[in-house]
Amino acid sequence: MVFWRCLVASSFITFFVFGCGDGANSSIENTKQVVQESNVAQLLVEAKASQKAEDFFHQGNNLLDAQRYEAAIAAYDQAIAIKPESPETWINRGIALTSLQHYKDAIASYNKAIAIKPDKDEAWYNRGIALTSLRRYKDAIASYNKAIAIKPDKYEALINRGIALTKLQRYKEAIASYDQAIAIKPNKHEAYYNKACSYALQNDLELALENLNKAIQLVPDKYKKLAKTDPDFNKVRNEKRFQELLQ
């Protein structure tokens, strides 16, 4: 099967913009003015801290892109120390942890993001990936369902949900999930390939070949090579038509 990997969240950090305005000064307003100036000073301090948190966040993203996962986590931790309520930072920290196969820690990071902002589809989706990696397929499906409920056209979650359903031998539901992904993205070769796997596991040669052929038409080299060794095709591997398709 083909697994859809992690999705990196974007930065949505908002900064304050300060302006100056003219006003009448009088002795009776001195106290109010001092308070106002103090508030502005505090806001400027907060803005600088927020900027520093964003800098660490972007540093973490660059390190994540460079596959320097431990360094990325250290940068995200710096950002979180300054601004702990950023769901995007917790999500990307979780992605780095997932990449290091620290799945339980990754789930804890995604849970932090969800506690801050329950409607972050990226958090639920990536949580599903970590749970799938732990073979906690029922929990993974629940996470993918949350992501899909928030963002119904999230075809990546539909594909990965199909994989988790297939692992539980819930083939009919898995195929329905792949079909939903295909309805959104008709050329998603991963969905066709995984559908072929589901049919092959049921020893349905016709539909396995039909969907595998669609995947091969879209990305020939990848799926011809992959299908030759994928154990999901063991039940149909010796069929002449299957072997001919991979030539």
Side-chain angles (χ1 to χ4, degrees), residues 53-68:
E54 188 195 29
D55 290 343
F56 280 123
F57 176 72
H58 287 304
Q59 181 185 346
N61 290 348
N62 291 334
L63 291 163
L64 185 62
D65 289 340
Q67 299 182 4
R68 295 175 58 190

Side-chain angles (χ1 to χ4, degrees), residues 75-110:
Y76 292 136
D77 284 344
Q78 293 267 34
I80 288 165
I82 299 167
K83 189 173 181 179
E85 298 302 306
S86 169
E88 292 79 22
T89 307
W90 285 108
I91 291 169
N92 286 8
R93 181 178 181 271
I95 291 169
L97 287 162
T98 298
S99 300
L100 292 171
Q101 300 182 14
H102 298 168
Y103 302 122
K104 291 182 180 179
D105 291 336
I107 291 166
S109 204
Y110 300 135

